[in-house]
Amino acid sequence: MIAVDSLHFSYPASTFRLSIPEFSAAPGEKLAVIGPSGSGKTTLLNLIAGISLPQSGRVFIDDTAISDMNDAARRNYRIAQIGFVFQDFRLLEYLTVLDNILHPYRISGALVLDRQVRERALALADSMGLGDKMKRHPDALSQGEQQRAAICRALLPEPKLILADEATGNLDPDNKSLILDLLFERVEAHSATLLAVTHDHELLPRFDRVVDFHDFRASGA
Amino acid sequence: MMDSLYIAWRYVTWNRGKSLILIASVTLIAFLPLALQLLLDESEQQLRSRATDTPLLLGAKGSALDLVMNSLYFDDSMPPRIGLDASEQVDASELAYAIPLYMRFRARGFPIVGTSLDYFDFRSLRIGEGRMMTLLGESVIGADVASKLGIGPGDSLVSSPDNLFDIAGVYPLKMKVAGVMERSHGPDDAAVFVDTRTAWIIEGLGHGHQDLARTGDSSVILQKDDDSVTANAKLMQYAEITADNIDSFHFHGDSSIYPLTALIVQANDDKAAALLRGRYQDHDSYQVVRPVDVVDGLLENIFRIKTVIDGVIVIVGLATLLTMVLVFILSLRIRQDEMDTIFRMGCSRMTMARLLLAEIVIIVAASALLCAILLTLVSANSASLVRYLLLS
């Protein structure tokens, strides 16, 4: 369960203001976030992830107030409970697909990399059609395969929340559909919540709910 | 830290070109001063030990450094010559005995050192193969000469002519190798030793030819009377001294002025050495030097130059360090997306710093390893390197 209560945010030395009176999402729910560029969609994801802190208001994930945590606790919570999927995949070119998937476990003490995790990573990649590409580097993969690897990386810690920022923006129509299918399948399997920023209105009917930023008060962008 | 090292290792090996350039730069900047110090220590040790072992040198007035470098290390410097009478004067003083040295010629690149048998006792050189030279035209060679030329007792070695185009100049002499010295790990290993008289034959002061009194070939005789016989250019001169022609070899002119390049002067005691030095202090033609003083002066200059080189290396090292910092800063800029991604995922700035530190540790460790290997190689070959670079 994600809940946002009376959230107010502004960037220093900027006229941009974001105000969200109330917003929530249930476990297993798949939400699309739409709105014009600069309306604050990515800012909302940053606030929910605890990357940015609101001037007032709170963000809860399963009754845990992210915005009340200290910096280290927010980082640990983020890496263990929130999965990120980016438009440009953000895979590290110098790591193999397997190392990219395991990467969150190597950059934080909050996650422990053991044999079970490795086995889980292999099984997850296999289920995403990457089983024979684990030793390859990202530059040897197609864009669709790169995004699937990035999704594996986001899902491996079994997060409660998946934040996808234009996750299908760089993909062709076939891959868009495939990636969305995989993402939905995993979200349902783990009862996670998906919050996906998108400009692609054709995909909206597939989501449980659409959050339109026109409903929120954002100004000065 | 192991995870950071693993990720850093992947980064370093993926960016091989950049990493190799960094490793090469760090290695060079660490290796150069250390190798230089190693070689200087070795050269100091080699120069000083030989100089310390040689109490006094007598030579013609001129450069004391040339005299020492030529007499002790057989280098190419040509100090002015002295006459054989200088040796006789030292012996006559009863303060010391003199070991003659005549170093002018070469055989296949190696210096030919004309001396007496006393030299071998003085330097504690021992025959490893064959026997000591006993006859005119015989030589004993150092261990390096034997191994590099692949020759040994019973083989021959021809001295190099002074000038190929000077038909009146020094002619080559074919010398028999009587023995090979045991390795001494010094300049003697790379020398060809002959008796001073053999060196004078190479010089052209002595020679052997057909016996004109006995020859039946009248075409070789230009003029003959009761007292003398004059031969023409057809007279056959020997280019090799053999058992058959050795008796025909003879010397011309005043033997007291036969050339030497130096005398190793072995004084009876310190007092005798001081007296001898006093006698030659204001001598018109000769000088007596303590090789250790000359070498110390040389080393002082070398170390002065080394101080300058050290300064240059420090500046170059700083420049390299700054370049490395720049490379890492630029690398960070290029990797901004990567840093942003892992930060969003939940990586702390401390972990990011640890990742970068791990990369630096790998670069520095690889450089240290490479540097250690190179230094081990230099150290293992420092003696021969010093001989090749400084004393050849």
Side-chain angles (χ1 to χ4, degrees):
Chain A
M1 174 77 175
I2 306 162
V4 168
D5 179 27
S6 307
L7 203 67
H8 293 278
F9 177 80
S10 63
Y11 288 107
S14 166
T15 55
F16 177 85
R17 300 278 184 276
L18 178 65
S19 297
I20 302 175
E22 193 178 18
F23 163 75
S24 65
E29 198 174 11
K30 301 178 283 289
L31 272 74
V33 180
I34 60 168
S37 294
S39 59
K41 301 185 295 295
T42 302
T43 304
L44 174 65
L45 298 193
N46 286 346
L47 288 164
I48 290 172
I51 294 167
S52 303
L53 288 175
Q55 268 78 44
S56 63
R58 298 168 97 186
V59 176
F60 293 91
I61 299 179
D62 285 349
D63 301 327
T64 307
I66 294 277
S67 45
D68 289 350
M69 291 177 178
N70 66 24
D71 191 44
R74 268 187 286 127
R75 273 201 315 270
N76 289 342
Y77 192 85
R78 192 156 74 232
I79 203 153
Q81 303 298 343
I82 301 173
F84 286 91
V85 184
F86 305 97
Q87 179 178 4
D88 50 357
F89 326 131
R90 303 275 184 104
L91 295 172
L92 304 187
E93 56 169 2
Y94 57 88
L95 296 180
T96 61
V97 169
L98 178 61
D99 283 335
N100 264 295
I101 294 172
L102 295 173
H103 198 223
Y105 286 81
R106 289 202 166 102
I107 56 170
S108 171
L111 298 172
V112 179
L113 178 58
D114 56 21
R115 201 161 58 86
Q116 280 83 3
V117 172
R118 284 172 193 280
E119 284 171 0
R120 211 149 40 80
L122 290 170
L124 183 62
D126 201 35
S127 70
M128 300 280 259
L130 295 170
D132 58 341
K133 296 180 171 68
M134 302 302 275
K135 289 184 178 172
R136 293 195 189 171
H137 286 262
D139 60 356
L141 301 182
S142 69
Q143 292 210 316
E145 288 169 335
Q146 287 186 49
Q147 192 59 301
R148 275 184 269 159
I151 291 171
C152 288
R153 178 180 63 189
L155 293 174
L156 187 63
E158 297 179 338
K160 291 177 179 169
L161 173 63
I162 297 165
L163 300 177
D165 195 354
E166 297 281 0
T168 56
N170 275 0
L171 302 177
D172 59 65
D174 289 344
N175 266 314
K176 272 182 193 176
S177 182
L178 178 69
I179 291 296
L180 219 51
D181 287 344
L182 290 168
L183 212 45
F184 285 3
E185 188 186 310
R186 296 292 146 185
V187 165
E188 282 159 13
H190 292 99
S191 296
T193 304
L194 173 66
L195 208 58
V197 169
T198 181
H199 282 111
D200 198 336
H201 287 237
E202 284 179 15
L203 298 174
L204 297 183
R206 301 191 59 185
F207 287 87
D208 298 331
R209 192 148 56 98
V210 176
V211 178
D212 190 342
F213 254 62
H214 287 106
D215 299 337
F216 300 131
R217 188 151 54 87
S219 63
Chain B
M1 189 64 191
M2 290 310 290
D3 285 329
S4 300
L5 276 173
Y6 177 81
I7 293 170
W9 172 251
R10 288 288 181 195
Y11 182 80
V12 166
T13 51
W14 179 256
N15 296 285
R16 282 185 211 96
K18 187 186 94 173
S19 304
L20 285 176
I21 289 170
L22 282 174
I23 289 168
S25 307
V26 177
T27 302
L28 272 178
I29 217 65
F31 169 75
L32 281 177
L34 293 172
L36 191 64
Q37 189 60 53
L38 227 131
L39 290 176
L40 279 177
D41 289 348
E42 176 64 30
S43 59
E44 181 186 9
Q45 193 265 327
Q46 280 196 28
L47 283 166
R48 282 206 106 252
S49 69
R50 194 144 169 108
T52 310
D53 291 346
T54 311
L56 294 173
L57 273 180
L58 187 149
K61 283 239 163 175
S63 164
L65 184 61
D66 280 357
L67 178 66
V68 170
M69 295 307 281
N70 179 265
S71 307
L72 267 59
Y73 311 106
F74 312 137
D75 81 347
D76 289 335
S77 56
M78 286 278 187
R81 300 179 207 184
I82 56 173
L84 181 61
D85 56 340
S87 175
E88 290 161 357
Q89 283 170 25
V90 170
D91 290 340
S93 73
E94 295 187 348
L95 294 169
Y97 75 91
I99 301 169
L101 288 173
Y102 188 43
M103 228 288 287
R104 178 184 162 190
F105 307 106
R106 290 190 165 262
R108 296 176 67 180
F110 293 99
I112 298 173
V113 180
T115 187
S116 66
L117 294 179
D118 291 335
Y119 181 84
F120 301 96
D121 290 334
F122 173 71
R123 292 270 184 234
S124 306
L125 298 174
R126 284 183 302 196
I127 289 287
E129 277 181 78
R131 58 172 174 77
M132 185 50 77
M133 58 194 187
T134 51
L135 298 170
L136 205 59
E138 284 186 341
S139 66
V140 287
I141 59 177
D144 285 347
V145 180
S147 64
K148 283 180 184 163
L149 298 183
I151 56 174
D155 293 327
S156 295
L157 192 58
V158 181
S159 67
S160 309
D162 244 10
N163 185 339
L164 282 173
F165 307 104
D166 181 7
I167 56 171
V170 170
Y171 284 89
L173 179 72
K174 189 174 180 183
M175 299 166 291
K176 186 181 170 192
V177 176
V180 177
M181 311 302 301
E182 276 182 8
R183 190 172 292 281
S184 63
H185 303 285
D188 298 313
D189 289 340
V192 176
F193 293 97
V194 296
D195 186 79
T196 43
R197 291 178 307 147
T198 303
W200 291 331
I201 287 172
I202 300 171
E203 175 95 14
L205 295 171
H207 59 191
H209 50 69
Q210 285 174 278
D211 186 346
L212 289 172
R214 290 182 193 169
T215 183
D217 183 2
S218 58
S219 66
V220 79
I221 296 170
L222 203 62
Q223 190 185 346
K224 185 174 186 179
D225 54 36
D226 292 343
D227 297 327
S228 64
V229 182
T230 308
N232 61 24
K234 194 184 172 190
L235 179 73
M236 191 180 75
Q237 291 214 16
Y238 301 119
E240 181 181 5
I241 303 168
T242 64
D244 294 333
N245 67 21
I246 191 167
D247 292 336
S248 76
F249 275 81
H250 55 277
F251 292 86
H252 294 276
D254 179 3
S255 65
S256 69
I257 58 166
Y258 282 4
L260 296 172
T261 43
L263 296 172
I264 294 173
V265 178
Q266 183 81 311
N268 298 338
D269 49 38
D270 289 347
K271 186 181 170 188
L275 281 171
L276 208 60
R277 291 188 74 191
R279 280 187 194 180
Y280 283 92
Q281 196 165 14
D282 297 319
H283 200 280
D284 292 337
S285 313
Y286 303 140
Q287 61 176 332
V288 172
V289 298
R290 284 182 72 220
V292 72
D293 294 341
V294 176
V295 166
D296 281 348
L298 173 68
L299 287 172
E300 209 172 288
N301 284 328
I302 289 175
F303 283 112
R304 208 171 291 150
I305 293 167
K306 191 197 166 270
T307 310
V308 175
I309 293 173
D310 281 348
V312 171
I313 286 173
V314 166
I315 293 166
V316 174
L318 278 173
T320 307
L321 192 70
L322 289 174
T323 309
M324 276 187 71
V325 171
L326 181 68
V327 167
F328 277 104
I329 289 171
L330 290 176
S331 172
L332 270 181
R333 279 196 181 183
I334 291 167
R335 297 168 72 186
Q336 194 57 50
D337 274 355
E338 175 189 339
M339 294 300 154
D340 180 56
T341 305
I342 61 174
F343 174 72
R344 289 170 78 89
M345 281 161 57
C347 179
S348 66
R349 296 206 186 278
M350 182 64 82
T351 305
M352 288 186 210
R354 210 161 48 217
L355 284 171
L356 290 174
L357 181 69
E359 282 169 28
I360 294 170
V361 165
I362 288 171
I363 297 284
V364 171
S367 305
L369 182 68
L370 192 59
C371 187
I373 291 169
L374 289 173
L375 283 175
T376 308
L377 285 174
V378 169
S379 176
N381 298 289
S382 60
S384 47
L385 270 172
V386 163
R387 277 205 296 278
Y388 176 75
L389 294 171
L390 295 174
L391 303 176
S392 62

